[in-house]
Amino acid sequence: MQFKHVTVDFDGPVAILKLDHPEVMNAVSMDMLAGLGEALDAIDDRKTEVRCLVITGQGRAFCTGANLQGRGNAKPGGRSNAGAALETAYHPFLRRLRNLHCPIVTSVNGPAAGAGMSIALMGDMILCARSAYFLQAFRRIGLVPDCGSTWLLPRLIGKARSVELSLMGERLPAEKALEWGLVNRVYDDAALPDETMKLAHELANGPTIALSLIRKLYWESEGNSFEEQLDLEQRLQREAGAAEDFREGVTAFLEKRPAKFKGK
């Protein structure tokens, strides 16, 4: 399925969303954001079928941040509202990823800079090509980090490293990102697509309802007290336990066979 600078393909229960504007290294434009919204609509239309989402980039980049073409044409003395598009376009997309009904695997096939780095970090599992790198590019053009990076980064790698990345604007290679705990796995470039799909299908064949609730627990945990998190675990455990997959999982365990989860 083709949208504006975005494609979506389906491999059984896995949806593959590809940022597809290689001429600008998949930099995010308003057109692309509109295409991303339509792509998520198409995935929502197949909600009962799609049990894992893969996000990757076309060509040699994952996403190099916002498309700045035309941004430098403001009249002298005029003010630019650089944050205007965040709440109207970027944030709705990021919120939809946060609340997605299934696990997300981001397959970082090349540079992930600025907003592209934030999109990459929205993955529940983040896989990287060995040649990939991350970049907090904002300081290079006189802006502050956005798209949730100042929330995501300290929770993944701590304040000191997060501030350094943002103040210095230096590249973080995939191997160092793995060492820091920013990403889950690094593969040789040629192996990344196959390894991504192998992992995506493993997740898609799992207990989708439980995996979705696991996502929710970890997203909510950062803002919850211990007592609040205990209460949330109890509520979501009841929800998971009411699913058919729980009964199948227990039955398969007792029968000493692999479970056949249906996401119900």
Side-chain angles (χ1 to χ4, degrees), residues 135-140 160-171:
L135 177 65
Q136 284 287 287
F138 303 94
R139 59 97 68 206
R140 297 190 175 193
R161 285 170 170 166
S162 302
V163 172
E164 180 179 353
L165 286 177
S166 300
L167 290 182
M168 302 306 295
E170 296 172 342
R171 293 183 181 186

Side-chain angles (χ1 to χ4, degrees), residues 176-197:
K176 181 63 71 172
L178 179 65
E179 179 185 326
W180 283 7
L182 186 69
V183 306
N184 297 97
R185 302 175 188 180
V186 173
Y187 296 104
D188 290 339
D189 290 26
L192 179 66
D194 286 345
E195 294 293 342
T196 296
M197 294 308 297

Side-chain angles (χ1 to χ4, degrees), residues 77-123:
R79 288 194 173 187
S80 170
N81 186 353
L86 290 175
E87 187 58 31
T88 59
Y90 287 87
H91 293 177
F93 171 65
L94 294 169
R95 290 185 180 111
R96 290 186 72 178
L97 292 183
R98 181 194 190 280
N99 296 314
L100 199 71
H101 69 282
C102 63
I104 299 171
V105 177
T106 46
S107 184
V108 186
N109 56 301
M117 182 172 178
S118 294
I119 294 171
L121 297 182
M122 292 297 291

